[in-house]
Amino acid sequence: MSSLREKEWSISFAGCGFMGIYYVGACSCILERFPHLIRNASKIYGASAGALMAASLVTRVPLEKCCVDLMYMAKEARKHKLGPLHPSYNLLQLVKESLLACLPSDAHLLASGKLCVSLTRVSDGKNVLVSDFESREDLIQALLCSCFVPFYCGVIPPKYRGVHYVDGAVSDNLPRCHQRSTITVSAYAGESDLCPRANTPSLHQVRFNNVSIQVNSENMYRVTSTFFPPQPEAMAEFCHNGWMDALRFLQDNNHINCEPVPRSLKTLSAKPACCDLVVGPLKVLESSEDHWWLNPLVIENLPISLKKALCTACRQVHPGGGLLSHVSVLFRPKMAPSFLRLPSTKSLGPAISLARRVAHWLPDVRRDLTWLYRAAGGFYKRGKGHDEEEEDEGYNQ
């Protein structure tokens, strides 16, 4: 790769679901060590979660905000046995709420001409790159369409400017990756410019809509984590891995000196730098051994803002520490038999959530069902026409 100061370049982020936490770590390293790479890129492309990261970079959303929101979405998904597939979990709604809360009022002005969002048009399956946005709401709707995974997020795909679109990863998961001036970023070990390095033997390599993915146990875990978020400690490690991989990428391409990590980014004492919490009555956190919810070494090179966000997310999952807190749960007094109890609101959660979704959908139900019927008919006709062509070819032979 030639010097970035001598030409224009672009950056392309592949879709990766909850593995987007890897991008948070990678981008934090780049913004710290060589912000020129992101700030002066002519275009920043993205599909699905990659589009969300690209939009955050273009509109200058703080990465710690991205980290907090992503960890919250993952926590909400882990509350249910079916994870994100549970009826009461609405990933697209959480993404929308996050975008509404963090994108600035002039986000569409900052994004137009630089951000390129990958979409898949439902009518013909073609890829569409959107780079001009009329308003902040217009930008948000494009991002929501790019994140809509069919059946994983719902049945009826959202619309952008009156047209149904689904996840951009379905048609092109790494936009403009074939251009030599494009720096490709992926959360999976493969041939992308910035990606994890494989630590286990790779039996084979596959390409998923332009994304190179090595077939090994590590990547299989990453692919699983894409759709079903792992525990927060694992996500924190993914974030740190992104930081380290970005540092290696910058060093390998001579964008920064091959020097050790600055001492200012490391913990200079036994006390973890990510928090200053009171663990018990008059007991202050003094060493990493007391930091039971997250090993400080897992996040040692991340900036303080990300350390605090990840530390808080992990501590929310493990509010108590030590053997006593875990044993006490086993001896907690039993509640009255289930037939003596009133129905709990927790058990009604899925039904209430489903009812809200249906109520929200009712105004558009006729239109959406008509579209769904036509789309199914179109697929059937195309399949039938294809079969007839094969029969004719066989007959002519």
Side-chain angles (χ1 to χ4, degrees):
M1 184 181 297
S2 61
S3 174
L4 295 179
R5 296 176 176 83
E6 299 175 359
K7 64 175 184 178
E8 288 191 354
W9 70 94
S10 300
I11 305 174
S12 185
F13 291 91
C16 60
F18 288 103
M19 282 296 298
I21 195 70
Y22 177 89
Y23 293 158
V24 173
C27 292
S28 70
C29 177
I30 295 174
L31 290 175
E32 278 186 2
R33 310 301 299 276
F34 191 55
H36 174 74
L37 182 69
I38 292 175
R39 300 301 187 209
N40 293 349
S42 58
K43 302 280 187 182
I44 301 185
Y45 301 93
S48 194
L52 296 179
M53 177 50 60
S56 299
L57 294 174
V58 169
T59 58
R60 305 291 182 93
V61 174
L63 288 178
E64 56 267 27
K65 172 62 176 173
C66 301
C67 181
V68 169
D69 288 356
L70 187 53
M71 296 298 283
Y72 173 76
M73 295 177 196
K75 183 188 73 171
E76 291 299 303
R78 287 192 300 267
K79 287 182 179 180
H80 313 291
K81 292 182 179 180
L82 295 178
L85 300 180
H86 196 274
S88 64
Y89 185 78
N90 192 340
L91 177 59
L92 215 61
Q93 181 62 31
L94 292 176
V95 172
K96 183 177 181 178
E97 292 172 358
S98 173
L99 293 173
L100 288 172
C102 68
L103 289 182
S105 59
D106 62 343
H108 58 293
L109 300 177
L110 298 171
S112 292
K114 185 166 185 175
L115 172 66
C116 297
V117 180
S118 177
L119 305 175
T120 302
R121 191 164 51 215
V122 175
S123 59
D124 56 8
K126 299 294 184 180
N127 183 261
V128 177
L129 280 177
V130 180
S131 59
D132 293 317
F133 309 99
E134 298 176 351
S135 64
R136 179 172 176 264
E137 291 71 25
D138 191 55
L139 169 60
I140 291 175
Q141 195 60 30
L143 293 171
L144 292 178
C145 286
S146 185
C147 294
F148 184 88
V149 180
F151 300 107
Y152 179 83
C153 293
V155 177
I156 305 297
K159 285 184 178 182
Y160 177 66
R161 297 182 181 178
V163 179
H164 287 281
Y165 291 96
V166 295
D167 197 328
V170 174
S171 55
D172 190 353
N173 199 25
L174 197 58
R176 299 295 188 268
C177 64
H178 300 299
Q179 295 181 354
R180 295 187 61 183
S181 60
T182 301
I183 301 170
T184 54
V185 187
S186 171
Y188 314 106
E191 296 179 348
S192 298
D193 296 319
L194 200 170
C195 67
R197 283 185 177 177
N199 294 320
T200 57
S202 179
L203 304 176
H204 187 58
Q205 184 169 280
V206 298
R207 298 193 72 86
F208 172 69
N209 295 334
N210 292 330
V211 177
S212 168
I213 303 177
Q214 296 178 355
V215 180
N216 55 41
S217 58
E218 292 175 328
N219 265 350
M220 292 304 99
Y221 179 62
R222 294 186 184 106
V223 171
T224 302
S225 300
T226 296
F227 299 99
F228 298 92
Q231 290 299 313
E233 299 93 330
M235 295 188 69
E237 187 172 1
F238 282 139
C239 186
H240 186 263
N241 291 342
W243 197 97
M244 296 301 297
D245 291 337
L247 180 67
R248 185 184 66 245
F249 166 79
L250 295 176
Q251 292 174 340
D252 290 347
N253 289 278
N254 299 317
H255 298 321
I256 59 174
N257 295 327
C258 295
E259 58 187 16
V261 178
R263 290 176 59 84
S264 60
L265 297 177
K266 292 188 174 183
T267 301
L268 300 180
S269 64
K271 183 179 179 179
C274 54
C275 58
D276 187 10
L277 302 172
V278 176
V279 179
L282 304 179
K283 180 182 179 183
V284 179
L285 186 66
E286 296 178 348
S287 68
S288 59
E289 293 181 359
D290 295 324
H291 204 263
W292 64 82
W293 54 89
L294 177 63
N295 184 354
L297 296 178
V298 172
I299 56 174
E300 62 175 339
N301 293 316
L302 293 175
I304 298 299
S305 58
L306 290 185
K307 284 184 177 181
K308 289 183 177 179
L310 294 170
C311 172
T312 300
C314 292
R315 196 169 191 272
Q316 288 175 347
V317 177
H318 306 292
L323 180 62
L324 182 61
S325 63
H326 295 286
V327 172
S328 62
V329 176
L330 300 177
F331 296 96
R332 187 175 297 166
K334 300 295 182 180
M335 299 296 292
S338 59
F339 59 86
L340 295 179
R341 279 182 271 160
L342 295 174
S344 65
T345 56
K346 185 176 180 180
S347 62
L348 296 177
I352 295 174
S353 177
L354 184 60
R356 287 176 178 172
R357 290 200 193 186
V358 172
H360 181 73
W361 180 45
L362 281 177
D364 300 325
V365 64
R366 182 176 179 180
R367 183 187 62 193
D368 288 341
L369 287 179
T370 301
W371 170 86
L372 189 61
Y373 175 78
R374 290 176 179 173
F379 291 137
Y380 172 75
K381 289 179 181 179
R382 273 181 280 181
K384 184 177 180 181
H386 181 68
D387 293 340
E388 289 176 352
E389 289 178 4
E390 291 182 348
E391 291 178 2
D392 292 340
E393 291 175 1
Y395 179 77
N396 292 332
Q397 293 175 355

